[in-house]
Amino acid sequence: MKTTFRIPLTVFLLLVCAYAGAQTVTGKVTSISEGSGMPGVSVLLKGTTIGTTTDADGNYTLSNSGLPTGTLVFSFVGYGTEEVEVANRTQIDVQMTEDIFSLGEVVVTAFGVKRSEKTVTYATQQVSSDELTRVKTDNMVNTLNGKIAGVTITPSASGVGGSSKVILRGNRSFVGNNQPLYVIDGVPVTNAGNSNGQPNSPFGGSTNVDGGDAISTLNPDDIESISVLKGASASALYGSQAANGVILITTKKGKEGQTQINFNSSIIASKAAYTPDFQNSYGRTTETASDSWGAAAAGTGDKNTDEFFRTGINWTNSISLSGGNEIAQTYFSYANTKATGIMPGNEMKRNNFMFRESAKFFDKKLTVDGSINYTSQEIDNSPAMGLYFNPLTGLYLFPRNEDIMPYKNQYEYALEKGYDRQNWYNNEDIRQNPWWVVNRNLNESIRKRYLMTGSAKWEFNKNLSLALRGNIDHLEDSYEQDLFSGTVAALVRSGSGQFILNTQTTEQKYGDALLTFTVPMESAFKVDGLVGTSITDSYVTGTSLGAGNGLKVPNLFIAQNTVPSGQVSNASTMKLNHTQLQSVFGNVNVGYNEWLFLNATARNDWSSNLAFTSNGSFFYPAVGLSGVLTDALDLPSVLTYAKVRVNYAEVGNTVPIYAPNPRNYLDPNTAAIVISNVLPFATLKPERTKTYEIGTDLKFFDNRLSVMFNYYKSNTFNQFVRLTPSAATLHEVGYINAGEIENKGFEFQVGYDVVSNDKIKWNTALNGSRNVNTIIDVASDRNINSFVLTPSNNTNYQSEMHVGGSYGDIYGYKANRDAQGRIIVNNDGSPSKNNAFQYIGNPTPKFAAGWTNTVSYGKFTLNVLVDGKFGGHVLSLTQAYLDQYGVSEVTEDARAQGGVKVNGVDADGQAVEGADPEAWYKAAGGRNGISEFYMYDATVVRLREASLGYTLPISNNVIKSMRVSLTGRNLMYFYKKAPYDPELTMSTGNGLSGVDIFNQPATRNIGFMVNVTL
Amino acid sequence: MKTKYILGILAAAVLVSCTDNFEDYNTDTTGLGDNEIVIEQMFKPMQHELFHDYQTAQNLGADAYAGYMMSPTPFQAQYNLNYAFVDGWNNNAFKGMYNYVLLPIDKAGKSGAREKAPDLWAIALILKVEAMHRVTDKFGAIPYSKAGATPTLVPYDDQKDIYNQFFAELDTAVSNLETFLANDGGTPFQSEDLFFNGDYAKWIKFANSLRLRLAMHIVKADAATAKREGEKAMAQPRGLMATPADDAARAVTNGTSDLYMISHDWDDNRINASILSYLIGFNDPRLSIYAQPATKPGMAGEYIGIRIGTAIPAKDDYKTYASINTTTTFTQTKAQQLMCAAESWFLRAEASLRGWQGAGDAKTNYETGVRVSMQQWGVVDGATVDAYLADDESTQVGYVDKGAKTDVNDSAPISTITIAWDETSSNEVKLERIMTQKWIAMFPEGMEAWTEFRRTGYPKLFPVVNNLSNGTIDTDIQVRRLAYPTAEYSTNGPSVQDAVSRMGGADNGGTRLWWDVDKANF
């Protein structure tokens, strides 16, 4: 009713105004970030329905008698609304600022389909390119951190070019993938890492060096926007690949009627944000001892970390050229990134090329779009995490009264000493000379990625179109490790050094056909939808040359110089891992009177991983309903917009390959066949997640205040549980479908334009989320109530999942206590340890929040993002080691005050108040000590991003705009109790969360950026 | 209508065309299917894996309990070496033989080895008995007859029944091999044999000696069966293992022996104070063959080992103590011994004491045992050996831990046994003499040495310095068994609980096994 009334009124008013003899205002609307004219911006005379939209160049003309004293309101999807008083002017140019929190009118949904926001029945959140490039970092995904409610981003502590773990609304799968599907321009791409995989042992390991993920290879300047589909309902159309949500990336393309050249240059300096607290008052125990439990001695160790860490520099230059007419558009870009890490030797070089061409044929009925993306990336000397090949063990545990400089200045002897060349004071496997590690334990990860995408869309008429799309995502990886002669003997299989070379090709091909339709009917109902089919085919192939028994000729790192360790070659053919997924899907949307919307989708998947089972395919449905209350009801005028939505979906997670069909393998030790010890899993079913979500989007005070809120609950069943059956079955590995993980929680986002006038604009936005993860069942029918995610491997960290617990629970050793809770102290002063692994904490934050402020004043723009992760507990094995070796400040304090203050009791029941520090920390610390003593509150509140931009007052025929900015990332911790940054992870896989084992410290980054538009 | 039509075509296109290749995709071409393996190909891994998880399954337990080895590495403050069991280590000791030896044997059986290749089946049975007696001798009742029969709960067999099955399996093995040799079938196993180069006669001698070993294990629990099987072993036409050429040692095929790896590469294994105290006390020529002296400042060049249960503050403190000799004896590719010929002579010597038929003279057996052992380790000078055997004065020495701050690890000698045979001694003294020399001869195979120590109480071993078993294990009686792994309780609970209920004690290290009867040796 309301709508139908509006249109005649508008027409009437326009007629009246035209008659009255109009005043005219003209001007140009430009984007503050891109500097270019913005087409399609709505220009409205405030308080009226009089308005227009800008043309292709961003120009507008508006005539009305009320203009001279009125206020113009400029609005556009994804940008903050601008209000300007006309004040008798006839020319008003406006710069618009992107606003991630505005609830735009058009959102990108599955398969790249753009839909009117109000018809969407689930939560989506969009991030503009400006947000991604304002404060750059070497992995684009990390720039989303703190900006989207319900998205947890955990970067690997693996230096420049490292991968990142992205979890939407909690972990769902015991052993399967928990990360979202990445989709570029509607077509899924792979996010594969290199052949190293991620470590799942506290020791790390030589071949578990992170080589970065695929998504980090993208050039953020090529991205137009990112949409995050958090719930299963949103992602249901992508089927089993998208059980954990989808990150939809829309890339830039040439725009009709304008040519533009953009040049971006940024330089960012990084420094270690913290180092451990050391002591400098006590020396080593004896002349040959490796610990610092000796007599008081002046320490010289203060400089050690400064001598080792350096300032990392990230220098990124990118250029893009775009242009086109209404028939064809072209976009080309090139970016070059050179980054050095804070550890010597750690370096990344990356080149990105992108070419995209779009064209229309046959009277614009056929639209063809194609792009080629090529990335080459080289990462040198990614820091190893864990205890092996890590320079920080040797650096941090170095005796405090010894001078480390001789070992820095000369980390190796000259050749005449023979091949045992490392200059170091001991030869323990976990502790080498740090400079030896970074110079003589080298690694290199090289990646080349070709991503080719093409699509053709035929519009039969305005109600029916058919699109065919496809892509080939091809990655070539190699990983090389060169361990020089002189590396500690336990880590290499020969005194001559060791060589590893893995080459891997990953290819994912995708094709789909989509028929999109709108049912033409004159009714209160509107029906549209799509049906489609898709095929995804992927494989990974490669050869890995293992360490074997090291090298023959020292330090000649070539394949033919390696010595096989067993009876077979040390080169091995990787499993092909060929999987194919075929699908048929459909989606129908029914709208009623433009305010009530029903959305239903269905998909059926056929997976090759289910071959040899009785379950050939799987089906899942999703349904959602949304209503725009402000269009349906007469609500108070402060409420500009109110939408409620509810949805339910079921989706399956991909099943692992080969599980139903175990094979027998070549035994490298004997060159014969090892009988498979895996029980075949013939009844394998895909994991199934059932989820519902309710939510609302509200805007108040003429869109000045916006509020989004979601509540969701998801339960994942039929977990793929790997179990170790009783050895007496003779099998070591079995699989069952069992278990249930529940995730429930809420998310909210509030945006408010605090000040908005033509001088100052201040937008503030707060997002927050809480997810509660509960393991409801593991395999109760098999009497199994726990599941080890990361085995301890003889350390005091283990990640286990227990019924009633939650994902990533940390298990470790506790002290024995008496009935009063006093720690039992042994006669020698050491705490008595309980040898059973017990629950000691969970690293997942209880609540996460991000608070963004954007202030623009004239040509200055200030952005500040503060985020906080509250709750959770993490383990620092680093601190445990520092204490055990007597190098930490904690041990100094204990020694200075004559003992460790304890609330203890001895074997005879006598209270113990102080314990000998050496006895205490040697037993409590280290990798087999009492882990509960090294659990820390994981709460961190930080200044995540800050940038101050200035648009230079330059505008001429050559330069359209020029902008400089000063940026900062991870600038300061307002609150941090743990001795490291709990956000960093050793692994972006499922395990090893919440533990720091000599991880590289987080970095504090300050940069300068120039952006020129020609 | 149109939509449905197109959807129909799309669906049909998917369904009809493409899932044909799915089975190919889901087949890992880097492996072989069950029907693609020849039976012989299963044998090298099952021999190799007899030492699966050697460090945690044996070295950090049995080898130390036998007085042979001790680790300088303080893996944990409380661990098997001070009698506080590490469940994961006990689990390794439990599961390895099932998963890596019994599994391929089971598969060979299912592939028709019994009928198609009775000689190979005989080898499988001998390996099975060798592997599994080492498991039951650690834990007691274990799943045996029904192992592999079901995918979930597998019942435990009492140790007595297991031993009876061992004897029956050795019957089949010897019979099959004798039949094969009678038909002169050649040496088809030569290329797969990691013990005897395909010589089935040696396999028979190994089987016979194993029978005698197992018979002796149960002498206190079931004297009649012990005597029957022992006498049967000694009556076999091909006899027992007699010279070092008969030694059962598994060749190293993967470049580095487990013992070398943990001792040399990882510095996780050093020699025990007990074995050194006898070798030093006896002026034994095998001392420098078995051991290499300490390198620690202040004791360099001295044969100072580590006593079990020593509190080790840091690895650096003890890794420079005397080691096993990895330089010239237990070298990188030295075959790993499971049974030596000398052992069979000492078993015969004890059989003589027990009056078993066919055992022969105790003194001759004893002295031959020593001579064969000397020969095995390259002590070829006859005069040296004669002098050694005539030594009726030398006895074990005490232990002084020169590197420790206190004398808590030190011990006076605890045995007065000498070397020279004395026919006038009591059987008990004779047994100590035999067992002490057998123990020296069997080095470094700690599993059997621990078994025989438990059965007879000999040789006398320094007890654990720190006993953290919470009173479950008596320091002087010493550890009697390993506890079942918790994995069994969670995956095979009713079966293990049933076994424990019949064990005659709690599931800890203080409860005696069936054959470990708490009574006099004679």
Side-chain angles (χ1 to χ4, degrees), chain B residues 30-77:
Chain B
T30 64
L32 294 175
D34 284 352
N35 53 359
E36 296 167 297
I37 320 169
V38 288
I39 291 170
E40 285 88 335
Q41 284 293 322
M42 304 177 190
F43 275 75
K44 270 186 181 165
M46 68 173 88
Q47 297 169 74
H48 177 80
E49 299 290 356
L50 287 165
F51 290 95
H52 189 83
D53 282 334
Y54 170 69
Q55 181 175 36
T56 49
Q58 174 166 339
N59 182 260
L60 297 170
D63 285 353
Y65 301 155
Y68 282 166
M69 313 288 182
M70 174 65 194
S71 176
T73 313
F75 292 94
Q76 311 182 178

Side-chain angles (χ1 to χ4, degrees), chain A residues 285 288-291 426-429 431 460-461 464 466 489-490 493 513 515 517 531-535 537 549 565-567 573-586 606-612 616 656-679 724-732 782-784 794-795 813 816 826 831-835 884 918 922-923 927-928, chain B residues 2-3 6-7 10-11 13-15 17-19 21-37 40-45 48-49 52-53 56 73-79 84-86 89 94-100 102-104 106-107 143 146-156 192 194 252-256 261 264-267 297 313-317 319 332 405 487-494:
Chain A
T285 316
T288 53
S290 55
D291 57 40
N426 81 4
N427 69 343
E428 194 183 338
D429 53 3
R431 224 161 9 120
F460 297 100
N461 55 50
L464 188 66
L466 176 67
R493 298 298 306 133
L515 188 75
F517 61 87
V531 290
T533 178
S534 72
I535 180 167
D537 184 281
N549 254 354
S565 63
Q567 301 285 301
T573 301
M574 289 173 54
K575 295 176 199 291
L576 188 59
N577 284 314
H578 191 161
T579 69
Q580 198 173 83
L581 188 73
Q582 300 176 8
S583 316
V584 178
F585 48 85
W606 289 261
S607 167
S608 66
N609 293 3
L610 285 169
F612 301 106
I657 193 169
Y658 302 141
N661 186 23
R663 307 275 281 174
N664 306 294
Y665 296 99
L666 183 66
D667 174 19
N669 293 319
T670 61
I673 297 297
V674 178
I675 300 302
S676 165
N677 60 10
V678 180
L679 281 165
T724 304
S726 164
T729 66
L730 307 189
H731 290 88
E732 203 168 18
R782 291 292 196 94
N783 212 10
I784 299 174
N794 289 325
T795 67
Y813 296 128
N816 284 314
N826 297 325
S832 166
K833 183 178 86 174
N834 186 326
N835 263 340
Q884 187 184 39
E918 182 173 356
K922 275 190 168 176
R927 69 170 182 254
N928 281 303
Chain B
K2 201 173 185 178
T3 317
I6 290 170
L7 176 61
L10 293 174
V14 168
L15 290 173
S17 66
C18 327
T19 58
N21 294 327
F22 276 14
E23 291 201 349
D24 286 346
Y25 298 158
N26 210 21
T27 298
D28 180 5
T29 50
T30 64
L32 294 175
D34 284 352
N35 53 359
E36 296 167 297
I37 320 169
E40 285 88 335
Q41 284 293 322
M42 304 177 190
F43 275 75
K44 270 186 181 165
H48 177 80
E49 299 290 356
H52 189 83
D53 282 334
T56 49
T73 313
F75 292 94
Q76 311 182 178
Q78 298 169 36
Y79 60 159
F85 286 147
V86 177
W89 298 358
F94 186 87
K95 70 180 188 180
M97 295 303 105
Y98 290 103
N99 291 333
Y100 293 92
L102 274 200
L103 174 70
D106 184 64
K107 185 71 84 177
K146 298 285 193 303
T150 68
T152 49
L153 301 181
V154 186
Y156 278 53
E192 309 304 318
L194 299 184
V252 172
T253 55
N254 60 333
T256 308
M261 177 95 71
H264 175 273
D265 292 358
W266 297 348
D267 283 329
K315 185 171 182 171
D316 285 348
D317 298 330
K319 76 175 185 190
Q332 191 164 6
K405 290 173 184 163
E488 273 299 288
Y489 284 92
S490 60
T491 60
N492 197 15

